[in-house]
Amino acid sequence: RDLRFVVDTGASVVVLTVESAERIGFAPADLSFHIPVATANGRTLAAPVTLDELRIGDIREPRVRALVARPGTLHQNLLGMSFL
């Protein structure tokens, strides 16, 4: 699936909105929001996931660590350092 990301070198990992996570097959009810994270908007909790593959153009990275932000806390996907 195609998703849009903001490149964020300050983000330790790739972070998805809950809507994007659902679009690529993660059921929100199955996610465990227990990882504390600090964002520009304050502190929240996120759910850990592993993306089977993340591709940008010809660059392909398998098994990328990522987080899914709690609903309503993130409006854009962040392409963080777990991919970069």
Side-chain angles (χ1 to χ4, degrees):
R1 309 256 186 228
D2 289 338
L3 298 175
R4 292 185 181 265
F5 285 86
V6 171
V7 175
D8 187 349
T9 58
S12 300
V13 297
V14 171
V15 185
L16 301 174
T17 65
V18 73
E19 295 83 8
S20 291
E22 187 171 22
R23 184 170 175 221
I24 62 172
F26 293 103
D30 294 337
L31 297 173
S32 175
F33 296 93
H34 67 274
I35 304 293
V37 293
T39 72
N41 295 324
R43 296 191 179 281
T44 189
L45 297 173
V49 296
T50 299
L51 306 176
D52 290 336
E53 178 181 85
L54 184 55
R55 275 192 269 178
I56 297 180
D58 293 335
I59 301 169
R60 175 190 170 278
E61 188 66 33
R63 303 205 38 83
V64 175
R65 287 183 316 111
L67 295 172
V68 178
R70 284 187 95 155
T73 60
L74 185 67
H75 303 292
Q76 302 175 67
N77 299 309
L78 303 177
L79 190 64
M81 297 306 289
S82 62
F83 177 80
L84 298 172

